[in-house]
Amino acid sequence: MSDTAFVPVLGQGSTALRWSASVGSAAPPTRAGAHGSARVQRGSGCAVSMQQAGLFTASDPAVRRLKPEESDTRRRMKVVYVVLESQYQSTMTKAAMLVNEKQENLSVEMCGYLVEELRNQENYEAFKEDLKDANIFIGSLIFVQELAEKVVAAVSPVRDQLDACVVFPSMPEVMRLNKLGTFSMAQLGQSKSAIASFMKKKKQSSGASFEDGMLKMLRTLPKVLKYLPSDKAQDARSFMMSFQYWLGGSPENVENFLLMLADKYLTDAPDVSTQIVDPEVYPDVGIWHPVAPKMFEDLDEYNEWYESEHMPLANLTKDSPTIGIVMQRSHMITKDSCHYTALVSELEARGARVIPVFAGGLDFTIPMNRFFYYTGTETANVDCVVSLTGFALVGGPAKQDHPKAIAALKKLDRPYMCALPLVFQTTEEWKASELGLHPIQVALQVSLPELDGALEPVVFAGRDGATGRSIPLQDRIDQICLRAFKWAELRRKQNKEKKVAIAVFSFPPDKGNVGTAAYLDVFGSIYKVLEGLSGQGYQIGELPPSAEELLELVVNDKEAKLTSPELNIAYKMPVSEYEEVCSYQESLHENWGPPPGHLNTDGKNLLVYGKQFGNVFIGVQPTFGYEGDPMRLLFSKSASPHHGFAAFYAYLEKIFQADAVLHFGTHGSLEFMPGKQVGMSDTCFPDKLICSLPNIYYYAANNPSEATIAKRRSYAATISYLTPPAENAGLYKGLKELSELVASYQGAKNSGRAPSIVNTIVEKARQCNMERDVDLPEIDAKDLEAEQRDNIVGKVYKKLIEIESRLLPCGLHTIGKPPTSSEAVATLVNIAGLDRPEEGENGIKSLPRIIAESVGRDIDEIYANSDRGILDDVNLLQDITMASRAAVKACVDTSTNAEGRVEAVTLFDFSKLVGSLMGLKSPWLTALADSGFGKCAESDLTPLFEYLQACLAEVIRDNELGGLVNALEGRYIEPGPGGDPIRNPDVLPTGKNLHALDPQTIPTMAAVDSAKLVVDRLLERQKLDNDGVYPETIGLVLWGTDNIKTYGESLAQVLWMLGVKPSPDQLGRVSKLELVPIEELGRPRIDVVVNCSGVFRDLFINQMALLDRAVKMAAEADEPDEVNFVAKHARAQAEELGLSVRDAACRVFSNASGSYSSNVSLTIENGGWEDEKQLQDMYVSRKAFAFNSDTPGVMSQNEEIFKKSMSTVDVTFQNLDSSEISLTDVSHYFDSDPTKLVQSLRDDGKKPASFIADTTTANAQVRTLSETVRLDSRTKLLNPKWYEGMIN
């Protein structure tokens, strides 16, 4: 099969065609038709480059326009098409040429558009103009909501005048455009017909295999309909035949498709000169090899040809590793397969056997299950699987079946890599893009495969802008093949021969933090891992007696800094060797000079720190390198690895020759090195550094956002580990004494001692510095009314309970260590504290709600009254809290062993509770009765405690060590969501391949409801503090992990401030927006300035577009300034800056692509600043990159708009969503906080109010920044329970 074909280009000075060779094109050389030649026109449109236009593709639809000569007198049929699949471009052009060549009475004018090109307004206007005199419209795979709306808006007005409108699977509103004679889909989704009901039930029952069932039906139903006389039946048959032609995809099939449409539906259609041939049908699934004589539908037949004919020629043997390849059939039948050919050839050239399978539908488990096992067995015949489809394993861009995919991959149990071809960009555009992949492609072809457990989203094929043909990217194909080989070798190699590198981190650097990670006892865990690997046959050598001694051997000093001489030097790499083993070292000279540089060096050699134990090397990953260089921090948008960093990874791969590297804990620096956000090229440093090493990464289960960065940028197979359970902070010292005084008052409040006790409470509260949290009286309590004394004590008690019940992580997690009973209780109490309406048939009530209902109260009312300091409800809430703990403890106690740990769950027999005549009570109901709540309904408690016992079983079903062992043995790592195990217990058990969520599904409706509550509380609080005046602008910070954990609560907060309501489209993707009427909103629309973290930008760029669309919608609303602050400010800025209101309404900002954080905290930490203005300038220079949904291809620096928008901010706002991380734990909140910057930009110099939303419990709170810091300090920094737990 040849990969060189021909594409038409316009000859100079002539209307005749000449042909030039072009790799991968479909059109063969041909002669001009008898009635004059068609002209392939090139337009002058899209002259602006992609980067200038801010669009993701600047490909020009005019280059594929085919128009017969004006002198051509044949009946002309004008066809306009819009497709997602670029491989159909050349097929459509060639099919039209075949018609024009062969037909005596018919010619075709062809105008084609890729769906993404319609973002460009010039292209969109040309599309609408083309439709005005079109005869036929064809659409396919139009699943992007805003583009689907554009297509519908353009086609609907001309639909009735079109002779035919044929749309293949797309959004429902686009599918409704379908019409062929009497056949119409205008009522799609609204029809009550029996067929519609049947199809709906069939789809629900059979899941994603529905599409493959449809393929079978397409083959049989037209044969039946052929014999039915009615016009409706014949037109329905024509539609199904059209689908068959289209799926057939070859120029000949599409030629006959066009002829069928002309013959049956074109007005004044002439006679067709040639016979219209039925669709050529290809196998639905099979095996395709580029040099094979045919497509194989039988594995044994393929093996016979491959082993007897091909393997001898390719120098392969039966002992060669075998790589399974998964492909789309459409690329083969449209003859757009050169990228497949290149990858198959490269694998074989490197010594691998291949089994390249394909599917015509979108369920790729079917060919995988049929061909990736030895015939008649359940033994896999492949060592690694590489999918080249870019789609989820089951389902395309519309709907997926991840459970089915995971089940198939678990059964196969092989590493699963998912490479992808460019769809929305040309090769040149992708190479030039700092963002990398188009956001829609990231959502469809990176995020969704990750939910299946896919690894390593490497771009392996580009796209030619003129023809749409795929172009093999040889350096990317080399990388995929290298890495597939390494994964395959892990399965084939004996454990005793494998070499494993373990990388530990030092962050922040120079602070005695070598070998630390978030929530993890690193060396205690490494010790457990080494013991486990030794038991699996790995050569560990002589292991020291304890984890402490292991630490000493690696760092020699527990407080070692990265630059200190105490670190153990494992290897001294001469500069000459470094230059030999690090192929890209010259690219580092610009930033760091020639090697060895001044980091990780003794002046002559580059130093690799660490210690080797048998076949395991424990090494210390170097830091970024610019931490101690304030000028680099101030003026560089992004860093690059220094020579010491490059030498470390070159040593692991080339000198130590590791089979895999294990990055130990959250997190290192590799994945944050400069490069594209997603879709690495060979110039991106994460790709250069990791090279061919399989990257296995222990990552905290509560941090899926940064884990996703590691997966996409450093090709990590992540393995989740549990964070320490959150426990109640408790009370200590003066706070405990204050609590005892409150208890005394409650027992004597009606006696003469009450005033003196209140005076003592007030004095003790002042000693505890509570006067800023509680309004304490200056007068003697005896001069107060009893109710006033109750209110004072109630507010003090409320603050004490807030401190006591605050959740905080205690201690560090150790890989492979079961939880203690108290740790299990702490986790389950928090899980029991939330309502779960989505669980079971009727939902599960929270334990506090069940207890409150048992005494005739509503828990939400108790929360509200407690917040106001009403003493009786403060007391009741505390009693409910203590009763909840007692009930959960009773549940856990049944499974606790003699050592106080939970290693197995003893399930309670709930059936004994049914119809019991003996008055049998569950242990938890007994505990509740002992706490004074004996009337709780067992019918409510039973589903809750069944759920809690299931959660407990998942907590102890730790697979952290097992997941690592599986990865090192070249097996499939089961995927699982990351996030807060309290909100989402599906995070458990740990040891899974972490993934985030489908970004198109947030914010959920539950998140919208939660967001309304928080925003309303924030605005009410600010209104009270500001003499009844609403803030005009709020500056917010959005974090990636927070939005994953809360399913988009902070996203929804921004939308609710704007008075915009999000809603899902018909595929469940949140892409629709509508303005809430001011009357319904009941307040003005609040302007916003949204500062997105770099991680949020990487994961949720589509949601950034959603936010920007919402801002523009509010700014362009025809509403007066006093009720629409967005429009008020946008109009003023537009007038001042000479912009349109739409362009002035730019409110969504982040870092430049590939850059993270403002670096303010690092600069302060390293002393690299002189005054606050210097810090503010740094903040602006790094965070003022604007996102514009009208031109989504670039993040453009726009400091002027950024400053103007910030200058109107009255309130700054951030969210705390879980108990594990708060303001005093990490510097990120401080680093991103714009409060000081706003003060410097405001005309009045006023410092904005700063608020923090705390949604860590069911009773969400909005506190000022200072209130939150005080609460943090009391519950953590000053709390012996916390700091002793961390020390121990």
Side-chain angles (χ1 to χ4, degrees):
M1 181 178 293
S2 172
D3 289 318
T4 301
F6 297 84
V7 61
V9 296
L10 192 61
Q12 293 181 348
S14 169
T15 56
L17 290 176
R18 62 183 174 86
W19 298 90
S20 67
S22 173
V23 173
S25 296
T30 184
R31 59 182 176 82
H35 298 270
S37 60
R39 291 183 291 116
V40 177
Q41 297 180 334
R42 292 186 184 276
S44 58
C46 297
V48 147
S49 75
M50 175 199 70
Q51 296 297 335
Q52 292 168 319
L55 298 168
F56 272 89
T57 184
S59 57
D60 188 352
V63 303
R64 66 188 77 100
R65 184 180 295 270
L66 186 78
K67 189 173 183 179
E69 296 291 343
E70 295 301 327
S71 58
D72 190 333
T73 58
R74 294 176 294 176
R75 172 71 168 99
R76 183 178 302 181
M77 180 172 75
K78 184 176 181 181
V79 179
V80 180
Y81 69 86
V82 177
V83 296
L84 170 73
E85 319 100 296
S86 59
Q87 66 264 30
Y88 273 87
Q89 287 177 231
S90 288
T91 298
M92 292 291 281
T93 301
K94 175 57 181 169
M97 288 179 172
L98 290 172
V99 172
N100 291 341
E101 176 189 346
K102 298 176 184 178
Q103 296 301 313
E104 296 290 333
N105 304 311
L106 177 70
S107 67
V108 172
E109 178 182 348
M110 185 70 71
C111 310
Y113 296 82
L114 296 179
V115 67
E116 186 62 24
E117 291 169 344
L118 298 185
R119 289 188 189 277
N120 181 291
Q121 192 60 31
E122 185 180 343
N123 288 343
Y124 185 57
E125 294 302 324
F127 171 57
K128 290 194 290 185
E129 192 65 28
D130 278 330
L131 286 168
K132 288 180 180 178
D133 60 347
N135 303 104
I136 309 290
F137 172 73
I138 299 168
S140 177
L141 295 187
I142 303 169
F143 283 109
V144 180
Q145 180 65 36
E146 61 266 35
L147 297 178
E149 290 171 1
K150 280 191 158 192
V151 170
V152 171
V155 178
S156 292
V158 300
R159 177 177 181 266
D160 289 344
Q161 73 190 45
L162 290 168
D163 291 320
C165 189
V166 188
V167 180
F168 304 114
S170 295
M171 293 293 291
E173 55 264 50
V174 188
M175 292 296 288
R176 291 190 192 106
L177 296 172
N178 266 300
K179 71 156 196 172
L180 279 175
T182 59
F183 175 83
S184 171
M185 286 192 178
Q187 301 302 312
L188 181 71
Q190 302 158 28
S191 170
K192 301 291 184 183
S193 71
I195 287 184
S197 301
F198 169 77
M199 298 287 277
K200 186 175 180 181
K201 289 177 183 176
K202 181 74 176 169
K203 188 160 189 175
Q204 289 171 343
S205 66
S206 57
S209 62
F210 169 79
E211 283 79 7
D212 295 278
M214 281 291 292
L215 291 177
K216 294 183 177 68
M217 188 174 74
L218 282 172
R219 289 191 176 188
T220 56
L221 198 54
K223 296 174 184 176
V224 176
L225 293 172
K226 183 177 182 179
Y227 298 103
L228 298 180
S230 73
D231 290 341
K232 281 190 175 183
Q234 292 310 306
D235 291 332
R237 179 178 184 272
S238 293
F239 177 74
M240 292 199 170
M241 293 289 284
S242 299
F243 202 178
Q244 271 195 24
Y245 281 124
W246 188 256
L247 289 174
S250 66
E252 294 74 20
N253 267 335
V254 175
E255 174 196 5
N256 283 289
F257 167 45
L258 296 176
L259 291 176
M260 182 195 76
L261 292 179
D263 183 52
K264 290 180 179 252
Y265 301 106
L266 180 65
T267 304
D268 300 326
D271 292 334
V272 174
S273 307
T274 57
Q275 182 181 358
I276 301 174
V277 180
D278 281 349
E280 181 182 357
V281 177
Y282 298 90
D284 289 338
V285 296
I287 304 174
W288 172 91
H289 192 285
V291 300
K294 66 171 189 174
M295 292 177 172
F296 295 94
E297 295 183 76
D298 180 79
L299 177 62
D300 291 336
E301 187 182 5
Y302 170 76
N303 283 335
E304 168 123 5
W305 168 80
Y306 194 73
E307 292 172 7
S308 63
E309 295 186 37
H310 184 67
M311 279 174 50
L313 297 174
N315 293 319
L316 300 172
T317 70
K318 290 188 176 181
D319 293 329
S320 301
T322 303
I323 309 297
I325 304 172
V326 182
M327 303 172 295
Q328 282 182 283
R329 189 188 64 180
S330 62
H331 283 282
M332 299 151 202
I333 57 183
T334 57
K335 298 180 173 62
D336 179 33
S337 57
C338 58
H339 54 324
Y340 290 169
T341 299
L343 192 133
V344 168
S345 301
E346 185 63 32
L347 282 170
E348 291 185 335
R350 290 177 180 274
R353 292 161 46 103
V354 294
I355 304 179
V357 304
F358 66 83
L362 293 170
D363 186 348
F364 297 100
T365 64
I366 296 174
M368 195 175 79
N369 290 334
R370 186 176 300 177
F371 302 120
F372 285 171
Y373 294 89
Y374 291 106
T375 304
T377 76
E378 293 191 354
T379 303
N381 58 11
V382 294
D383 299 303
C384 179
V385 175
V386 181
S387 171
L388 304 181
T389 69
F391 288 121
L393 193 62
V394 183
K399 191 173 181 63
Q400 301 77 41
D401 188 344
H402 298 295
K404 181 177 183 180
I406 291 167
L409 289 165
K410 279 175 71 176
K411 179 185 174 188
L412 187 67
D413 203 18
R414 295 292 185 267
Y416 174 56
M417 299 168 62
C418 194
L420 59 153
L422 293 178
V423 174
F424 297 99
Q425 302 145 280
T426 65
T427 309
E428 294 73 24
E429 289 164 346
W430 165 73
K431 285 182 176 179
S433 171
E434 292 179 348
L435 289 171
L437 283 180
H438 187 293
I440 299 295
Q441 187 164 10
V442 173
L444 294 179
Q445 297 194 313
V446 178
S447 297
L448 295 178
E450 283 173 349
L451 303 183
D452 293 339
L455 306 174
E456 310 196 6
V458 181
V459 177
F460 79 102
R463 179 171 69 82
D464 177 61
T467 65
R469 313 303 289 177
S470 300
I471 301 171
L473 301 174
Q474 191 56 47
D475 67 282
R476 301 292 76 208
I477 287 173
D478 289 345
Q479 181 75 316
I480 292 167
C481 294
L482 275 170
R483 299 187 62 78
F485 259 80
K486 282 290 188 81
W487 280 111
E489 282 303 305
L490 283 175
R491 202 194 78 76
R492 292 158 57 84
K493 217 172 192 180
Q494 292 187 22
N495 288 348
K496 66 181 181 181
E497 297 173 352
K498 292 176 188 172
K499 286 188 170 185
V500 180
I502 296 176
V504 299
F505 313 125
S506 175
F507 192 86
D510 297 334
K511 301 295 176 186
N513 285 324
V514 173
T516 57
Y519 313 110
L520 188 65
D521 176 1
V522 172
F523 278 94
S525 297
I526 289 176
Y527 196 82
K528 282 274 188 187
V529 165
L530 291 178
E531 287 182 326
L533 292 181
S534 180
Q536 294 290 324
Y538 289 80
Q539 297 300 308
I540 304 300
E542 187 176 344
L543 197 60
S546 68
E548 290 75 16
E549 291 178 68
L550 178 68
L551 168 63
E552 293 286 351
L553 286 171
V554 175
V555 303
N556 292 332
D557 175 5
K558 290 183 181 178
E559 301 302 318
K561 299 179 182 180
L562 195 67
T563 54
S564 66
E566 287 82 8
L567 282 172
N568 191 70
I569 298 171
Y571 189 77
K572 293 184 178 182
M573 185 183 296
V575 170
S576 59
E577 184 178 37
Y578 167 67
E579 290 173 340
E580 181 183 339
V581 297
C582 185
S583 60
Y584 56 90
Q585 56 86 23
E586 287 188 7
S587 64
L588 310 183
H589 291 199
E590 181 181 353
N591 283 315
W592 302 99
H598 63 281
L599 296 168
N600 289 67
T601 179
D602 59 7
K604 296 189 216 173
N605 306 289
L606 288 147
L607 304 180
V608 177
Y609 295 120
K611 182 77 174 176
Q612 188 167 339
F613 299 89
N615 281 345
V616 176
F617 170 70
I618 302 173
V620 181
Q621 183 193 69
T623 62
F624 277 107
Y626 60 82
E627 292 84 4
D629 186 344
M631 300 309 288
R632 194 179 293 270
L633 281 173
L634 285 168
F635 300 114
S636 177
K637 285 189 176 70
S638 60
S640 65
H642 54 83
H643 292 295
F645 204 102
F648 178 76
Y649 282 94
Y651 169 79
L652 298 185
E653 182 178 27
K654 303 288 179 59
I655 298 170
F656 177 66
Q657 296 184 336
D659 292 292
V661 59
L662 169 61
H663 287 93
F664 217 98
T666 307
H667 59 71
S669 307
L670 169 66
E671 60 269 30
F672 295 101
M673 286 297 174
K676 300 181 188 299
Q677 282 178 212
V678 188
M680 302 289 102
S681 72
D682 62 335
T683 62
C684 298
F685 283 110
D687 181 273
K688 288 175 180 286
L689 289 158
I690 198 64
C691 199
S692 69
L693 284 173
N695 181 9
I696 303 164
Y697 209 141
Y698 270 133
Y699 226 94
N702 70 341
N703 193 351
S705 59
E706 289 180 312
T708 302
I709 302 298
K711 289 165 73 76
R712 296 176 184 178
R713 304 189 85 239
S714 66
Y715 311 141
T718 54
I719 298 174
S720 61
Y721 64 82
L722 196 62
T723 51
E727 299 182 23
N728 295 100
L731 298 174
Y732 54 91
K733 298 181 181 177
L735 297 174
K736 195 169 186 180
E737 294 172 18
L738 191 54
S739 176
E740 291 166 355
L741 286 169
V742 170
S744 298
Y745 174 78
Q746 289 175 331
K749 67 178 183 176
N750 295 320
S751 71
R753 294 175 50 233
S756 64
I757 296 174
V758 171
N759 284 335
T760 307
I761 287 173
V762 170
E763 182 183 353
K764 178 58 73 175
R766 291 189 197 281
Q767 291 174 9
C768 293
N769 300 307
M770 276 195 176
E771 63 272 15
R772 293 182 65 186
D773 300 291
V774 179
D775 187 13
L776 299 172
E778 300 292 338
I779 61 174
D780 195 302
K782 69 182 180 183
D783 298 327
L784 299 172
E785 298 291 333
E787 185 178 348
Q788 291 176 304
R789 290 196 290 267
D790 275 2
N791 285 340
I792 292 165
V793 175
K795 288 175 181 176
V796 170
Y797 191 29
K798 177 221 167 191
K799 182 56 63 176
L800 287 172
I801 290 176
E802 183 179 52
I803 296 167
E804 188 275 338
S805 60
R806 176 87 162 171
L807 300 173
L808 67 156
C810 288
L812 298 171
H813 177 68
T814 302
I815 300 291
K817 199 172 180 181
T820 64
S821 171
S822 61
E823 289 170 343
V825 169
T827 300
L828 292 186
V829 164
N830 300 330
I831 291 174
L834 298 177
D835 292 317
R836 302 189 185 273
E838 73 285 354
E839 293 291 337
E841 292 183 11
N842 303 311
I844 296 176
K845 294 180 183 177
S846 70
L847 189 50
R849 186 173 300 282
I850 294 169
I851 297 172
E853 288 176 354
S854 75
V855 293
R857 296 293 304 278
D858 177 64
I859 191 64
D860 297 318
E861 181 189 12
I862 296 170
Y863 285 145
N865 290 343
S866 177
D867 288 345
R868 292 199 295 271
I870 296 173
L871 185 59
D872 287 346
D873 277 358
V874 174
N875 278 325
L876 178 57
L877 183 56
Q878 178 67 352
D879 291 342
I880 288 172
T881 301
M882 299 308 293
S884 296
R885 293 178 193 169
V888 172
K889 184 177 184 302
C891 173
V892 173
D893 282 349
T894 62
S895 300
T896 304
N897 65 16
E899 296 176 0
R901 294 191 176 274
V902 182
E903 293 184 334
V905 176
T906 304
L907 294 175
F908 182 78
D909 187 355
F910 289 90
S911 64
K912 291 181 180 178
L913 299 176
V914 181
S916 173
L917 301 176
M918 305 297 293
L920 178 68
K921 291 182 179 179
S922 59
W924 36 91
L925 184 55
T926 302
L928 288 170
D930 293 344
S931 301
F933 297 100
K935 294 185 179 179
C936 291
E938 194 80 75
S939 59
D940 286 334
L941 290 172
T942 295
L944 172 62
F945 279 88
E946 285 180 330
Y947 183 74
L948 292 178
Q949 286 197 330
C951 290
L952 180 59
E954 295 298 275
V955 169
I956 65 171
R957 191 166 68 89
D958 155 41
N959 192 40
E960 294 166 0
L961 185 54
L964 171 63
V965 169
N966 284 347
L968 288 174
E969 290 181 354
R971 299 172 64 185
Y972 174 69
I973 311 168
E974 185 178 350
D980 182 359
I982 307 304
R983 290 175 183 262
N984 180 16
D986 287 343
V987 168
L988 305 169
T990 46
K992 295 177 181 175
N993 182 7
L994 271 176
H995 61 69
L997 42 71
D998 180 353
Q1000 300 172 108
T1001 61
I1002 64 169
T1004 62
M1005 293 305 103
V1008 170
D1009 292 340
S1010 299
K1012 286 181 182 178
L1013 175 68
V1014 169
V1015 170
D1016 290 347
R1017 286 187 177 182
L1018 170 67
L1019 295 179
E1020 193 59 37
R1021 170 86 187 255
Q1022 179 65 5
K1023 191 178 169 188
L1024 287 172
D1025 293 349
N1026 204 29
D1027 299 324
V1029 177
Y1030 282 105
E1032 291 199 4
T1033 308
I1034 297 177
L1036 301 96
V1037 179
L1038 297 188
W1039 301 100
T1041 294
D1042 294 12
N1043 278 282
I1044 293 172
K1045 290 179 181 176
T1046 63
Y1047 295 93
E1049 278 184 19
S1050 53
L1051 267 172
Q1053 289 167 3
V1054 177
L1055 295 172
W1056 189 240
M1057 288 173 188
L1058 295 166
V1060 174
K1061 182 180 177 183
S1063 60
D1065 61 26
Q1066 290 177 292
L1067 298 176
R1069 303 173 306 188
V1070 181
S1071 58
K1072 293 186 174 182
L1073 298 169
E1074 62 178 295
L1075 282 175
V1076 178
I1078 290 293
E1079 300 74 26
E1080 182 183 333
L1081 193 60
R1083 58 163 173 83
R1085 300 191 196 282
I1086 309 299
D1087 199 1
V1088 295
V1089 183
V1090 184
N1091 194 324
C1092 303
S1093 74
V1095 173
F1096 182 94
R1097 173 208 61 212
D1098 287 357
L1099 298 186
F1100 296 116
I1101 201 161
N1102 289 304
Q1103 277 58 39
M1104 290 172 71
L1106 193 76
L1107 293 177
D1108 185 69
R1109 285 168 51 207
V1111 170
K1112 286 176 166 55
M1113 184 181 288
E1116 293 177 327
D1118 184 14
E1119 296 168 345
D1121 288 357
E1122 59 268 20
V1123 296
N1124 189 334
F1125 300 142
V1126 191
K1128 174 185 175 180
H1129 297 150
R1131 291 165 190 158
Q1133 290 162 9
E1135 186 174 347
E1136 183 179 354
L1137 300 175
L1139 301 171
S1140 67
V1141 169
R1142 188 171 183 85
D1143 287 338
C1146 195
R1147 298 291 188 271
V1148 184
F1149 299 89
S1150 186
N1151 294 76
S1153 302
S1155 174
Y1156 302 85
S1157 84
S1158 72
N1159 276 354
V1160 168
S1161 59
L1162 271 174
T1163 306
I1164 291 174
E1165 190 173 339
N1166 289 283
W1169 63 294
E1170 294 178 2
D1171 55 33
E1172 286 195 4
K1173 185 178 185 309
Q1174 201 173 15
L1175 298 177
Q1176 290 161 9
D1177 289 346
M1178 171 185 283
Y1179 189 101
V1180 171
S1181 70
R1182 289 183 64 86
K1183 303 295 287 187
F1185 288 81
F1187 182 87
N1188 187 341
S1189 59
D1190 293 336
T1191 56
V1194 291
M1195 296 285 295
S1196 57
Q1197 192 163 19
N1198 198 332
E1199 293 188 9
E1200 194 169 23
I1201 288 273
F1202 183 68
K1203 288 179 177 179
K1204 288 289 181 190
S1205 303
M1206 280 289 190
S1207 70
T1208 67
V1209 167
D1210 302 303
V1211 174
T1212 61
F1213 181 66
Q1214 296 197 56
N1215 283 277
L1216 291 176
D1217 67 279
S1218 71
S1219 58
E1220 293 127 334
I1221 297 178
S1222 191
L1223 301 188
T1224 57
D1225 293 306
V1226 293
S1227 61
H1228 300 68
Y1229 295 104
F1230 167 74
D1231 189 75
S1232 293
D1233 180 49
T1235 305
K1236 282 287 207 178
L1237 172 66
V1238 170
Q1239 184 178 9
S1240 72
L1241 294 174
R1242 284 182 63 99
D1243 293 337
D1244 57 10
K1246 179 183 174 184
K1247 184 177 179 180
S1250 186
F1251 286 92
I1252 305 291
D1254 182 347
T1255 59
T1256 57
T1257 66
N1259 186 23
Q1261 300 290 317
V1262 175
R1263 304 184 182 94
T1264 66
L1265 175 61
S1266 57
E1267 287 169 349
T1268 307
V1269 170
R1270 289 198 298 275
L1271 181 62
D1272 256 19
S1273 299
R1274 288 178 175 131
T1275 55
K1276 283 189 175 178
L1277 302 183
L1278 303 174
N1279 188 351
K1281 182 175 183 179
W1282 182 78
Y1283 60 70
E1284 287 173 6
M1286 298 301 287
I1287 291 170
N1288 296 329

